[in-house]
Amino acid sequence: MDTTPDRPVATTPDPSHEPATAEASRARTSEVEPPEPGGSSRADEAAQEDEGAGGGPSWWHRDHPTFTALSGFFTGLLFLILVPGVYGAVLNAMVAYDTAERLFPYVLVALLVPAVLLVVPRTRRFGRYMALGLVSTAVVVLGVGGLVLWILVARG
């Protein structure tokens, strides 16, 4: 049983399925919403252009839950890797090696950043995922380091 038609069917494209352009986006928003009497700020206009430009995802600017979780996790990962390294390099460049070695434990003060993010209600979710990134990175680095050290010692 063949369900294909004998002759091609001509269809007209639905205008709602066309790719979004900056001009089309501006035209749709001006048709739907009347301009505010006080005018809009430059930041609002830039945000509207960013949302419509290139048909990219506009949810990046709306605090999407996945975006907050991913950015918090990877911020924690980078925080744990970069902050002690940059702090040690700056100390080593500015002071003598012995002084830098003595001052290096003060990098732990940087852990106040995720602690403050966990306390403030507005940033609590981001801080939670940042702490998860910090802890999981530390567990992986210490676990792999311990495993490699154990293998090296066991082989003699």
Side-chain angles (χ1 to χ4, degrees):
M1 177 182 206
D2 188 19
T3 59
T4 58
D6 294 335
R7 58 190 161 101
V9 178
T11 60
T12 58
D14 186 8
S16 65
H17 295 287
E18 292 179 8
T21 62
E23 294 83 20
S25 175
R26 276 190 229 114
R28 278 194 303 261
T29 51
S30 65
E31 291 171 3
V32 175
E33 299 172 357
E36 295 178 14
S40 61
S41 67
R42 299 191 94 201
D44 292 340
E45 292 171 1
Q48 287 177 356
E49 287 178 9
D50 286 345
E51 286 180 6
S58 62
W59 53 267
W60 292 98
H61 304 287
R62 293 192 202 139
D63 196 27
H64 193 274
T66 303
F67 181 73
T68 302
L70 286 174
S71 61
F73 178 82
F74 286 111
T75 300
L77 183 141
L78 289 173
F79 187 84
L80 188 68
I81 293 171
L82 292 178
V83 169
V86 169
Y87 180 73
V90 168
L91 273 180
N92 200 19
M94 296 180 79
V95 296
Y97 182 78
D98 294 335
T99 308
E101 191 176 87
R102 194 180 70 234
L103 293 175
F104 186 76
Y106 289 111
V107 75
L108 295 176
V109 172
L111 290 177
L112 289 176
V113 172
V116 168
L117 289 173
L118 283 169
V119 171
V120 177
R122 186 175 174 105
T123 60
R124 189 169 291 148
R125 187 166 197 275
F126 180 83
R128 207 175 316 143
Y129 282 102
M130 184 174 174
L132 178 68
L134 282 165
V135 170
S136 61
T137 302
V139 166
V140 167
V141 167
L142 293 175
V144 170
L147 180 66
V148 168
L149 185 64
W150 180 73
I151 290 172
L152 289 175
V153 169
R155 287 192 159 202

